[in-house]
Amino acid sequence: MSDLFENETAIVTGASRGIGSGIATKLAEHGASVVINYRSSDQRAMEVVEEIEADGGTAVAVQADVSEYGDVEAMVEATVERFGALDILVNNAGMTTIGPAAEVDIADWRRVIDIDLTGVFIGCQVAGCQMQEQADGGAIVNIASMMGQMGYHMRAPYCAAKAGVINLTRTLAVEWAADDISVNALAPGFIKTDITDQTQDSAGYTDDDIRGRTPMARFGTVEEMANCVSFLARDDTFVTGEVLQADGGWTSDAWRYHEGRV
């Protein structure tokens, strides 16, 4: 345990599994009281809470659909009622759909945009207003993706949503800088989680395909993403409106496939 975020409260959306779970656990390790947001799996959320508490941290689970304004508003109100304030918001909840752009069902498009972009805006708006009311600053970290800064086949809704998250982040950073609210984004590359395994199966690529196209020749880890968020959530960096690319060099690499790593 450290005291980096001692006496601070954080909400992490989509925190019952994967990267969200890792971020919540890391913030708790640094002393924050953490709200584990989940949409449907209360069992997984409670398991994360129990793990944090077993390590001496403080956490509660709160159900909310991030695409529903009333749900998010109620979650922030419950957080403030329980802990007294909201200092950090991590907009992590997201989803994707895989398929050719010409065949994307409009209902699938809307659901991805609702969760991955509108949900981020709702979270920022509600949390940002709460932080402004508290008049003590705050930090918002939006989980974007390297796919928000590049074209990627079979991911039209997801790429569009994450590109929106990136420019939304920059806009809010400019608007809220005077309130001492930092707004930054993390853009992960391929991170090894059970969700990644599911999307790989759907898209038909292998672990070796990813390693071969990543200059660091491996997947990123949940722990690494949690460390990145911990940096972006600090209040002593003079950083706002930035997109931290954590993709092992993928988007910087013009050569692309490193066959044989030559």
Side-chain angles (χ1 to χ4, degrees), residues 133-148:
E133 183 179 326
Q134 292 169 185
D136 193 32
I140 296 174
V141 182
N142 297 323
I143 306 303
S145 169
M146 70 177 185
M147 294 183 194

Side-chain angles (χ1 to χ4, degrees), residues 21-164:
S21 172
I23 291 169
T25 301
K26 181 63 66 174
L27 293 177
E29 288 176 0
H30 287 308
S33 299
V34 184
V35 172
I36 309 298
N37 162 252
Y38 68 97
R39 183 172 65 89
S40 57
S41 180
D42 57 341
Q43 180 179 349
R44 282 202 303 263
M46 287 308 303
E47 288 172 356
V48 177
V49 170
E50 290 168 3
E51 290 172 5
I52 289 173
E53 291 179 337
D55 288 335
T58 301
V60 295
V62 177
Q63 191 277 335
D65 182 337
V66 298
S67 68
E68 296 291 337
Y69 190 93
D71 279 15
V72 176
E73 192 172 41
M75 176 171 62
V76 170
E77 289 175 354
T79 299
V80 174
E81 182 177 349
R82 171 69 173 80
F83 296 109
L86 173 61
D87 305 288
I88 299 167
L89 170 68
V90 182
N91 280 309
N92 167 76
M95 65 169 295
T96 190
T97 185
I98 298 173
E103 299 174 10
V104 172
D105 187 281
I106 193 63
D108 291 336
W109 168 275
R110 286 176 174 149
R111 188 58 179 159
V112 173
I113 297 298
D114 280 351
I115 296 293
D116 292 10
L117 179 54
T118 305
V120 170
F121 175 71
I122 291 172
C124 287
Q125 187 182 61
V126 176
C129 288
Q130 175 62 37
M131 291 173 182
Q132 287 175 323
E133 183 179 326
Q134 292 169 185
D136 193 32
I140 296 174
V141 182
N142 297 323
I143 306 303
S145 169
M146 70 177 185
M147 294 183 194
Q149 305 198 82
M150 58 186 287
Y152 198 87
H153 69 294
M154 310 281 279
R155 300 290 201 290
Y158 186 77
C159 289
K162 293 302 186 180

